Amino acid sequence: RGHTPESITTNYHKIVNLLSCGRIGNAVDVGEKHQVGLAMDQSDVSFVMSNFPQLCLYDWHEVETLIRFLVSPVPDSLSLAEVDWAKMLSQGYGAGLTIRQATQTLRMMPEFMALYHEDSRKPSIMYLYNQMQAPMLSKLCDEVNLQLNEYLEGTDPSDAYAFAFLHSIGISWDQIRILVSALPLWITNNLEPGWDLLQRGPVRTMLKRPSLDYLRQRLQVGPSQIYHLLKTHTRLSGYDSCSKIRPVLDALQSRLELSCVELRKIILRMPSLLGMKESSFEARIDFFQREAGMSVLNIKKSVLKQPSLLQYSVDSSLRPKLQFFVDELKIPPEFVGKIIESAPALMGLSLSKNLRPK
């Protein structure tokens, strides 16, 4: 990540200071002109650095920004549907944890400081149970699932235990909702497919974390949406991020000139597109351009309405319907593309059972 041995050493000392400077009263004020930090003692710092060594490679400014967000006050009014933590922090607001709560949280779960998906995986539930040393947390997990159900679908069971711990040290449910909404890496995908997935089709016994993390990062979605992608298209569990998922997304986005939001919309509606070959996309797009006279923009608008257009067979579905419009309905060829753009669902209807009889 661009570090030299010297910069790593400097960065290490800066981060150690951030983790511990709150013990001597230097981190009470979280205003712009004051340093912010946690209140870990030497043993706590050693524990964090040994269990989360990649922290040494993080820019200390990013770690400071995270801590500042944790301990800045909660705004009087906030819509949890749109938590923009950067905007909140620029206005002096955050999750409202005390220095003690933030210290306890990051001491128990250093992975909460992760800046990258590959660093965010939490330890086992047994580790969490031993660290928390509170048998009642198991019962508290039931309340976690009730309070945070909309955030926890498709997540690893360790997430519920971690949030149970946060609530046990006095962090409110609304504060936890702010944290989960603002910091998506605080929840991770469950890599063990449950019965709901297994009964829907072929699924790996252990899901590929690099693939799921890549999808989350590329599409900017959470574990719940990844879970629904897998339920709809179980073969996704076997796709490799480098050799399969990334090339398909790159080809689709480039060929149709899609924005990130448009790409996400299409994949969430039709995740089976991830299983197609690039040449298959090309064949269908070429058909719409050359035979239906559609521009890339026209095709994009049509696919956004009906993503399955990219899966219909050219020879047995698309071309016969195009010929039907021109030869039997006497629609001028230059107008067929406009019909497809305005009503792309027509291309999914049966020629013999729907279109001709009507």
Side-chain angles (χ1 to χ4, degrees), residues 52-108:
F52 195 61
Q54 52 268 58
L55 188 60
C56 296
L57 302 178
Y58 290 177
D59 188 311
W60 69 271
H61 293 95
E62 294 180 291
V63 179
E64 182 186 37
T65 298
L66 170 64
I67 295 173
R68 189 177 294 277
F69 175 76
L70 294 181
V71 300
S72 294
V74 176
D76 294 332
S77 61
L78 176 68
S79 170
L80 292 174
E82 298 179 359
V83 176
D84 186 337
W85 72 267
K87 181 178 180 180
M88 287 175 61
L89 190 56
S90 70
Q91 297 172 342
Y93 297 116
L97 276 63
T98 65
I99 296 292
R100 178 179 175 81
Q101 288 172 333
T103 299
Q104 289 178 292
T105 296
L106 298 184
R107 162 59 177 81
M108 186 278 297

Side-chain angles (χ1 to χ4, degrees), residues 7 17 28 37 91 103 128 173 202-203 237 252 257 289 297 307 315:
S7 68
N17 183 59
V28 175
Q91 297 172 342
T103 299
L128 294 171
W173 294 120
V203 182
S237 66
L252 185 58
E257 301 175 3
Q289 284 185 308
L297 179 59
D315 294 329

Side-chain angles (χ1 to χ4, degrees), residues 165-182:
F165 173 78
L166 298 189
H167 191 64
S168 75
I169 61 174
I171 301 175
S172 72
W173 294 120
D174 277 343
Q175 286 177 293
I176 295 174
R177 292 185 185 99
I178 291 173
L179 290 167
V180 177
S181 299

